[in-house]
Amino acid sequence: MEMLRIGDEVSYSTWTGGTRRATVEEIEICPIGSKSGRSVSSCNIKKHSNGVLSLSDGHWCYFDQVKTIHSNGR
């Protein structure tokens, strides 16, 4: 459940306290305090403490906002 790949769906919490569901389009592992970093095709979001996901719904979120990973065919 911690391994995330481009194409997986995630449920994530929004800044307003709601929850949304979207497909991961890009994953970046970032330095702490930054919103941009190194692009990867997959990673363990528990191992890497800071990162950003670009999502299919036009939003982005930090790794710690991800509540559930809905694997795409795995």
Side-chain angles (χ1 to χ4, degrees), residues 9-54:
E9 281 191 336
V10 294
S11 294
Y12 67 98
S13 59
T14 64
W15 295 107
T16 59
T19 301
R20 301 185 92 161
R21 187 168 171 160
T23 302
V24 176
E25 293 184 335
E26 184 177 6
I27 304 169
E28 290 186 51
I29 298 172
C30 308
I32 293 175
S34 179
K35 185 184 171 274
S36 44
R38 176 174 50 100
S39 290
V40 295
S41 59
S42 65
C43 76
N44 182 325
I45 64 172
K46 297 296 181 193
K47 180 181 174 189
H48 298 281
S49 60
N50 197 51
V52 174
L53 305 177
S54 296

